[in-house]
Amino acid sequence: MPLDFTFSEEQQLFRKNVKEFLKREIEPGVDHINRTEEWPEEELKKIASQGYMGVPFPKKYGGMGYGEVEYDILMEELGKIDISFTTTVGAHCGLACQSVYMFGNEEQREKYLKPLARGEKLGAFGLTEPEAGSDAAALKTSAVKKGNHYVLNGSKQFISNGDMADVVIVFATSDPSLGHRGISAFIVEKGTPGFSPGKLEDKMGIRASHTAELFFEDCEIPEENLLGQEGRGYPVALTILDGGRASLSAGPLGSAERAFELVVDHVRKSVPPEKLMEREGLIFELSDLATQIKAARYFCYHVGASIGEYIEMVANHQEITKELRETISRNAAMAKTFITEVSSHVIDGCIQIIGEESYRELSYLGKSFNDSFIGEIYEGTNDINRLVVGMDIVKRGIEDEWRLR
Ligand SMILES: Cc1cc2nc3c(=O)[nH]c(=O)nc-3n(C[C@H](O)[C@H](O)[C@H](O)COP(=O)(O)OP(=O)(O)OC[C@H]3O[C@@H](n4cnc5c(N)ncnc54)[C@H](O)[C@@H]3O)c2cc1C
């Protein structure tokens, strides 16, 4: 990617349209949705009507024909409205659709990606299990081949969109003793006998996003719904999570930006200009928070742009060197950790500056405090991402890091 980080005119127009649409059509309903925890059916339909459920996919697969940078723009703007929506759209677009786009064959893209990207159907991504969170390779859901189908047994937990999704990407193992080499990925349709969602999680934040258990009991999946090769599901999961790490952190980034705008507005109104020099601590804090947001934003789009290129290479079956794969993983993990922690820090700082007003129920700041923190947990906790980065740096050295790839 060139060092000029400016957005193209088309990207700026895309952002303007997204921003105006979200402000006009989605923001007015957000308080109600968070209060009642109703599934935002109408809002999601409106989002789909704009094509936003398939921003980064080619038009021939039902998408808008944009790339990862535009998808990050959507996520950043959604984060300024409500992180529940970045979670719902992220699980659908960045995880489920992306799995079919990057690893599906033409029949699967035609049958599943098209309606998903058009927003006619909703997707979810089922990797996590009660005994397999950070260590996804320890998953126990089994997939036994019988004739021309696989029989799935087991359960998943904490699956975003799990109860509402029409299509779930499910990871299961043919033999737990094989570790990650036994894992395959499957496309599972809602209504398949033996597949049922369980209870919804009662969460501290993102309350307008549904997070569900999934159960599989002798659930027969046709062999044509195997995604990629048998026993190669773990690389599918890791590759998808690399992409998801960068794009999902654009949500908390947007949240931090909105929080900071509120604080600047508050300071302008509450501190007379002639008194500003007496508030050195406040001025320093504003300077630090603004600097951190700016650094996070550069990082987000820099990594987003290179992940966009990488996604296209995988989807078009181009050769991926081990070095490129490891660099993408390292950068995605770095960006996710940095951006989400900046976001939590900025929101905390903004609450300290504004004080009691931010403690009102459903004030944007109070809600963001609970919502945005999720960025530090899903897509691999930040400590797991630190492991990815630190281990890779020790293994491959740091020289590559300064090349700004
Ligand atoms: C709201 C929400 C939505 C989610 N949506 C989805 C979804 O759509 N699909 C999906 O598959 N999953 C989803 N998840 C699950 C999420 O990805 C997992 O919670 C996450 O991977 C962490 O797993 P865990 O919670 O089991 O933590 P654990 O693995 O139990 O880890 C607990 C702590 O130990 C640390 N730790 C664990 N192992 C190590 C290690 N080897 N070295 C150092 N530290 C370690 C972790 O960093 C963490 O701090 C969601 C979770 C939430 C909360």
Side-chain angles (χ1 to χ4, degrees):
M1 187 198 172
L3 283 178
D4 176 6
F5 285 166
T6 48
F7 293 106
S8 68
E9 275 182 28
E10 197 184 358
Q11 286 165 342
Q12 290 177 43
L13 181 63
F14 178 73
R15 183 187 294 281
K16 182 173 172 289
N17 291 338
V18 167
K19 209 183 185 78
E20 286 172 2
F21 165 80
L22 294 177
K23 195 109 198 113
R24 189 179 65 243
E25 301 290 340
I26 307 300
E27 190 166 25
V30 157
D31 276 4
H32 173 79
I33 295 164
N34 275 278
R35 237 179 254 285
T36 59
E37 296 181 35
E38 279 169 16
W39 176 251
E41 184 79 37
E42 285 310 309
E43 283 73 9
L44 289 172
K45 269 192 196 150
K46 287 181 188 172
I47 290 173
S49 73
Q50 302 300 302
Y52 296 157
M53 295 303 259
V55 170
F57 306 108
K59 289 184 178 164
K60 68 172 177 168
Y61 297 126
M64 289 188 90
Y66 286 123
E68 199 66 5
V69 169
E70 289 81 0
Y71 176 49
D72 289 350
I73 290 174
L74 171 73
M75 296 297 267
E76 187 185 3
E77 294 303 325
L78 271 174
K80 294 177 189 170
I81 303 292
D82 192 303
I83 294 289
S84 297
F85 283 95
T86 66
T87 304
T88 303
V89 174
H92 163 86
C93 190
L95 300 182
C97 294
Q98 202 62 268
S99 299
V100 184
Y101 179 52
M102 291 174 80
F103 296 98
N105 55 36
E106 278 311 301
E107 290 77 29
Q108 291 169 337
R109 287 174 176 177
E110 197 62 36
K111 182 171 178 189
Y112 293 107
L113 180 56
K114 256 191 180 174
L116 284 167
R118 285 194 197 123
E120 295 159 4
K121 292 197 169 173
L122 186 73
F125 184 83
L127 179 64
T128 302
E129 298 185 1
E131 306 288 316
S134 300
D135 184 10
L139 63 81
K140 292 196 172 70
T141 296
S142 61
V144 177
K145 183 98 193 269
K146 280 194 182 152
N148 57 1
H149 56 257
Y150 290 85
V151 182
L152 267 54
N153 277 289
S155 67
K156 300 283 169 184
Q157 69 172 16
F158 277 97
I159 306 305
S160 302
N161 305 347
D163 60 324
M164 304 306 291
D166 302 287
V167 176
V168 187
I169 309 302
V170 176
F171 295 84
T173 178
S174 57
D175 181 353
S177 72
L178 291 176
H180 68 83
R181 288 191 182 82
I183 296 173
S184 303
F186 300 91
I187 304 173
V188 178
E189 289 185 41
K190 183 182 191 165
T192 306
F195 167 44
S196 54
K199 73 171 170 55
L200 291 183
E201 297 298 337
D202 189 10
K203 306 189 295 298
M204 67 179 254
I206 55 166
R207 296 185 72 96
S209 147
H210 283 197
T211 317
E213 292 174 319
L214 304 179
F215 293 102
F216 303 91
E217 211 180 319
D218 294 330
C219 175
E220 292 187 4
I221 306 299
E223 63 184 354
E224 56 267 25
N225 281 25
L226 174 70
L227 188 66
Q229 294 165 23
E230 187 175 320
R232 298 286 296 157
Y234 194 64
V236 170
L238 294 188
T239 308
I240 294 301
L241 290 176
D242 282 342
R245 279 172 185 162
S247 53
L248 266 167
S249 56
L253 169 66
S255 205
E257 287 166 346
R258 167 114 185 243
F260 192 70
E261 282 165 19
L262 291 171
V263 153
V264 172
D265 201 39
H266 168 84
V267 171
R268 280 187 178 146
K269 284 182 185 142
S270 59
V271 185
E274 66 277 11
K275 297 273 182 202
L276 273 176
M277 285 306 281
E278 294 167 23
R279 302 285 303 274
E280 199 178 59
L282 171 65
I283 297 301
F284 284 2
E285 175 75 346
L286 290 178
S287 165
D288 286 350
L289 297 182
T291 307
Q292 288 164 26
I293 292 172
K294 186 154 187 161
R297 199 155 188 258
Y298 277 124
F299 206 172
C300 181
Y301 283 98
H302 169 62
V303 171
S306 57
I307 283 182
E309 290 171 22
Y310 178 69
I311 286 172
E312 290 309 313
M313 288 175 74
V314 176
N316 291 302
H317 312 292
Q318 289 173 25
E319 197 198 339
I320 306 289
T321 62
K322 189 164 175 279
E323 189 201 8
L324 175 61
R325 198 178 61 239
E326 290 173 347
T327 302
I328 289 287
S329 288
R330 183 201 283 191
N331 284 349
M334 271 186 184
K336 190 265 196 190
T337 306
F338 181 73
I339 297 163
T340 56
E341 289 178 10
V342 162
S343 172
S344 300
H345 177 70
V346 167
I347 291 166
D348 187 11
C350 292
I351 287 178
Q352 304 295 336
I353 294 171
I354 292 190
E356 61 189 10
E357 284 300 316
S358 42
Y359 205 69
R360 289 219 159 96
E361 197 195 359
L362 296 184
S363 76
Y364 182 79
L365 278 174
K367 198 164 70 62
S368 302
F369 189 76
N370 283 346
D371 287 353
S372 294
F373 186 71
I374 185 58
E376 295 195 37
I377 297 175
Y378 57 25
E379 301 283 313
T381 64
N382 282 2
D383 278 352
I384 292 300
N385 281 282
R386 285 189 168 87
L387 272 183
V388 171
V389 175
M391 294 294 285
D392 187 55
I393 284 173
V394 174
K395 203 172 81 188
R396 289 198 299 142
I398 195 67
E399 296 83 3
D400 184 56
E401 207 46 63
W402 314 136
R403 272 200 260 142
L404 272 179
R405 171 103 179 94

